[in-house]
Amino acid sequence: MIDKFETILNKLVKNNIFADYTSFLVFSASIGILVGFSVVFFHNLVEFLNVFLQNLDSNFDSSISRFIVILIPIFGMFIQAIIIKYFPEIAKSRGVTEIIKSTIGIKPKIPFKNTLVNFFASAISLGTGSTLGPEAPAAFLGGGISNKFANIFNLSEERKRIITASGAGAAISAIFNTPLAGVFFAVEIILLNDFHTTIFSSLIISSISASIVSRTFLGEEPIFSINIKNTIDFSYIYIFAIFGLLSGIISFFFHKYSAFIKGIIERIYRKRVSVIRVMSVIGIIIGICGLFYPDIFGIGYLSINKVFSSQIGIITVIILFLLKFLLVPIVYNSGAFGGFVCSIIISWCNVRLHNSFYPE
């Protein structure tokens, strides 16, 4: 079936259907729509699994549910370990770095099986409680799909590069419901600030197309719900500078800690300790932490929105911050699929400061 599809597409290519600039922009829009549908499916799958996991303990009034809460992260890490064990090359080829390699010509072609395996592995990882984020998997999904179709249509190397970046940007646009974020992500991160008219046109069209699909099926509301009733007084602008510096300091120590953990885990693997054993133990740790603090599970968007609505107290926020800070590098460097996620403590501080400036 796939061979017949590619034969039809190749016939269209021979007829120069995508030879001119206008057709290329139509192709960009089509890629955006396709990536949008893929991201919607990915988002709904992860959200379904994540909400199910977080609600387990409250939905079942029995001791067995507490065991399931711990068991599910173990199961998710075990499945990922199996994928890493039997598909090591595919497991290595993931994330934003692979998309950048494709656009600069190091690995121009992204095998579609890599995209599919990463799609399902990331959904399993995030849906079963891994404390990672969806941004890198989504970008890889969008870039992988667009790269595949660029190769099917035998576009020029330059246009393959643009389309691959457009797909990655479209995925970010769809998952956050923010077209401009997708455009600037593609320009600054994927294309390393390489900018000209053709690139910008393709990025805008694909990102908007993906956002339209996302809004149609996921709703108009943004991922994060921030209820600001008053405009912020510019006399408090220094607060933003303080939080910027604080975030930079936290990021520095997070980077150093992550490098330290990476070295430890690499030494463990060099001693031929099974990846299945290591990741299963980490799954147990995630499950135990999530048993007491279920907001630690998964992507964290639900938890961040709880912070914005002041449903979580400062003590819980600090604990969640510390757990995320400690667990994310361990989970990621063990081989789990997903990306780094941000701390929610800054979100809590922003909400509290806003409430103090503008009391009800």
Side-chain angles (χ1 to χ4, degrees):
M1 183 67 182
I2 295 177
D3 292 337
K4 290 182 179 179
F5 180 62
E6 291 193 15
T7 301
I8 294 172
L9 294 180
N10 287 327
K11 288 181 179 179
L12 294 175
V13 172
K14 290 180 180 178
N15 292 328
N16 294 323
I17 191 170
F18 291 113
D20 59 2
Y21 180 69
T22 302
S23 297
F24 178 65
L25 295 184
V26 172
F27 186 76
S28 300
S30 302
I31 286 296
I33 293 171
L34 182 61
V35 169
F37 277 110
S38 302
V39 169
V40 166
F41 179 54
F42 177 75
H43 177 277
N44 285 338
L45 180 58
V46 171
E47 194 72 9
F48 169 78
L49 293 173
N50 200 19
V51 171
F52 174 75
L53 176 61
Q54 288 200 18
N55 290 337
L56 265 180
D57 199 41
S58 59
N59 287 343
F60 296 96
D61 188 18
S62 65
S63 59
I64 190 70
S65 65
R66 304 183 71 83
F67 174 73
I68 294 175
V69 169
I70 298 176
L71 186 63
I72 289 180
I74 299 173
F75 174 76
M77 295 295 280
F78 177 79
I79 295 297
Q80 293 174 79
I82 294 294
I83 294 173
I84 293 170
K85 183 176 178 64
Y86 291 101
F87 303 97
E89 293 304 317
I90 293 178
K92 291 178 183 177
S93 301
R94 53 176 165 159
V96 176
T97 304
E98 294 300 312
I99 305 299
I100 296 174
K101 288 179 181 178
S102 175
T103 58
I104 63 177
I106 296 177
K107 293 181 180 180
K109 188 174 182 179
I110 301 174
F112 194 60
K113 63 179 180 180
N114 290 20
T115 304
L116 289 177
V117 170
N118 275 274
F119 171 83
F120 288 106
S122 298
I124 291 171
S125 174
L126 302 177
T128 56
S130 291
T131 58
L132 301 176
E135 295 79 15
F140 187 83
L141 173 64
I145 290 174
S146 56
N147 182 267
K148 175 63 177 177
F149 275 83
N151 281 287
I152 289 176
F153 281 92
N154 198 27
L155 300 183
S156 66
E157 292 303 317
E158 176 63 15
R159 290 195 169 183
K160 285 180 184 177
R161 174 173 171 267
I162 296 172
I163 285 296
T164 300
S166 296
I172 296 298
S173 170
I175 202 164
F176 283 110
N177 202 1
T178 51
L180 283 179
V183 171
F184 287 110
F185 170 82
V187 171
E188 295 181 2
I189 305 299
I190 304 300
L191 295 173
L192 306 176
N193 285 315
D194 181 13
F195 176 84
H196 54 77
T197 304
T198 305
I199 288 178
F200 199 60
S201 300
S202 177
L203 292 178
I204 289 177
I205 290 173
S206 58
S207 292
I208 291 176
S209 301
S211 181
I212 290 172
V213 173
S214 174
R215 292 187 180 205
T216 300
F217 291 93
L218 300 180
E220 295 284 341
E221 294 297 322
I223 293 293
F224 302 121
S225 300
I226 307 174
N227 185 20
I228 299 178
K229 298 180 180 179
N230 302 282
T231 56
I232 297 175
D233 193 325
F234 281 99
S235 63
Y236 297 111
I237 196 70
Y238 69 93
I239 295 294
F240 295 95
I242 292 174
F243 280 130
L245 291 172
L246 179 60
S247 297
I249 293 170
I250 292 173
S251 298
F252 172 79
F253 285 108
F254 181 81
H255 176 74
K256 292 295 184 181
Y257 170 68
S258 180
F260 173 72
I261 292 297
K262 181 180 180 180
I264 293 177
I265 293 178
E266 285 179 348
R267 286 196 292 271
I268 292 174
Y269 284 147
R270 280 198 295 268
K271 293 180 180 178
R272 299 188 181 279
V273 180
S274 170
V275 64
I276 296 176
R277 182 179 301 175
V278 172
M279 294 186 71
S280 295
V281 170
I282 294 173
I284 295 173
I285 296 172
I286 296 172
I288 292 174
C289 293
L291 183 63
F292 297 99
Y293 296 95
D295 287 302
I296 198 67
F297 285 137
I299 298 172
Y301 292 164
L302 295 175
S303 303
I304 292 174
N305 280 323
K306 287 181 182 179
V307 172
F308 287 144
S309 59
S310 301
Q311 297 179 31
I312 301 179
I314 181 60
I315 301 300
T316 303
V317 168
I318 292 174
I319 293 173
L320 290 174
F321 164 72
L322 292 174
L323 289 176
K324 282 284 188 180
F325 190 97
L326 295 173
L327 286 177
V328 167
I330 295 173
V331 175
Y332 181 81
N333 288 302
S334 71
F337 290 75
F340 282 172
V341 292
C342 300
S343 164
I344 66 172
I345 193 168
I346 303 300
S347 304
W348 186 93
C349 292
N350 282 330
V351 172
R352 289 302 180 189
L353 280 170
H354 181 268
N355 290 341
S356 65
F357 295 153
Y358 304 105
E360 295 294 335

